[in-house]
Amino acid sequence: MTAALRHHGRTPVLHVAGEIDQLSAPVLRGALDLALKHRPPVLVVDLGEVRLLAVAGLAALTAAYLRAGGRTRLLVVAGHRAVLRPLRIAALDRLVEVRHCLGEALGTL
């Protein structure tokens, strides 16, 4: 799994690729913590290239949501069933805004 923080204009976007499982979730958690460090108004988490989202990945996203509190709006990009389904099953799609592509997420800002 890889995670890279980039900016689209003034909006931070965390691009994540690969498989998020018990072994890689700590990397995701660290990247999310870093992205939230300066409390941006919005953080886009692009999971468009993620092939597997296991429970540990859901826990990392939930922790980021809790850390963001009401200060940072989280947008999650998830266009693949391998990511959408776990988000729905865990009801995380009710806590964070889910968009199907990065362009759609950035267009809502």
Side-chain angles (χ1 to χ4, degrees):
M1 188 211 75
T2 61
L5 184 63
R6 299 185 184 108
H7 284 79
H8 288 266
R10 300 176 82 177
T11 304
V13 178
L14 182 62
H15 294 275
V16 184
E19 298 181 351
I20 306 171
D21 56 18
Q22 188 172 1
L23 295 175
S24 61
V27 174
L28 175 61
R29 186 179 295 257
L32 287 164
D33 286 346
L34 182 63
L36 290 168
K37 183 178 181 179
H38 298 291
R39 298 183 178 180
V42 177
L43 173 62
V44 177
V45 182
D46 184 358
L47 303 179
E49 294 183 40
V50 170
R51 296 182 309 270
L52 170 74
L53 180 60
V55 172
L58 292 168
L61 290 169
T62 302
Y65 167 78
L66 294 173
R67 181 168 182 205
R71 297 176 303 274
T72 300
R73 176 180 166 203
L74 285 182
L75 290 168
V76 174
V77 175
H80 299 291
R81 186 172 189 252
V83 176
L84 287 169
R85 188 157 194 242
L87 288 173
R88 287 183 186 135
I89 290 171
L92 194 53
D93 63 338
R94 295 181 186 170
L95 300 177
V96 300
E97 296 177 55
V98 178
R99 301 290 182 252
H100 292 284
C101 67
L102 183 58
E104 181 184 344
L106 293 173
T108 64
L109 304 178

